[in-house]
Amino acid sequence: MEIKINREIRDYHESMFFGLSLRQSVFSLLAILAAVGLYFWLQSVLGTEIVSWICVCGAAPFAVLGFVTYHGMPAERFVWVWFRSEVLEPRQLCFRPNNLYLELMEDTIAKHQKEEYTHESHQASAAAG
């Protein structure tokens, strides 16, 4: 008897029907229902080949939602993360450096510069006179 154990515990997926998880089974059923619904709705209006392509295109979003994961996120969570990063939050990050030491020492620096200016002007007037 052999029991398969994943190296990473987060990689474990419980299988419900035919090796599919519950999520995959539900979205597979929704994809089938969408394809069959589109087929019966459009069969009398369009040709068989066009209807078959429309059925595939109608079932594809459900298949994507059920089976695709990106960085461990299901499709709807990935769509929400993408929407947040591209629409809700600003794209352009503006870096403005903040020199805390300079802000704290501005008064002292200004005082020393004023003293140097007055000291230089006194020396210049003494040398001239």
Side-chain angles (χ1 to χ4, degrees):
M1 181 175 185
E2 182 179 333
I3 299 173
K4 289 188 175 184
I5 299 174
N6 293 334
R7 287 185 172 206
E8 182 62 42
I9 191 69
R10 289 176 279 176
D11 291 340
Y12 174 74
H13 297 286
E14 186 176 20
S15 61
M16 301 292 286
F17 305 107
F18 303 112
L20 300 175
S21 67
L22 180 63
R23 174 187 181 81
Q24 293 170 339
S25 300
V26 168
F27 279 106
S28 296
L29 181 65
L30 288 174
I32 291 169
L33 291 175
V36 169
L38 285 170
Y39 177 78
F40 285 121
W41 181 45
L42 297 174
Q43 179 186 11
S44 61
V45 179
L46 301 171
T48 305
E49 186 176 351
I50 295 174
V51 171
S52 64
W53 282 106
I54 292 173
C55 289
V56 169
C57 292
F62 295 106
V64 167
L65 286 172
F67 289 91
V68 173
T69 58
Y70 185 73
H71 288 290
M73 295 182 289
E76 69 272 3
R77 184 159 179 219
F78 171 73
V79 168
W80 170 247
V81 168
W82 175 85
F83 180 75
R84 241 184 58 209
S85 68
E86 295 295 324
V87 177
L88 296 180
E89 296 175 1
R91 290 183 185 183
Q92 186 176 12
L93 298 176
C94 185
F95 176 73
R96 294 187 182 114
N98 186 12
N99 191 344
L100 183 61
Y101 180 75
L102 179 64
E103 290 176 9
L104 292 174
M105 298 300 292
E106 278 181 345
D107 296 332
T108 308
I109 292 171
K111 180 180 166 187
H112 284 294
Q113 286 176 346
K114 186 177 181 181
E115 287 176 2
E116 287 178 10
Y117 177 72
T118 56
H119 183 66
E120 287 176 6
S121 64
H122 284 307
Q123 284 181 348
S125 63

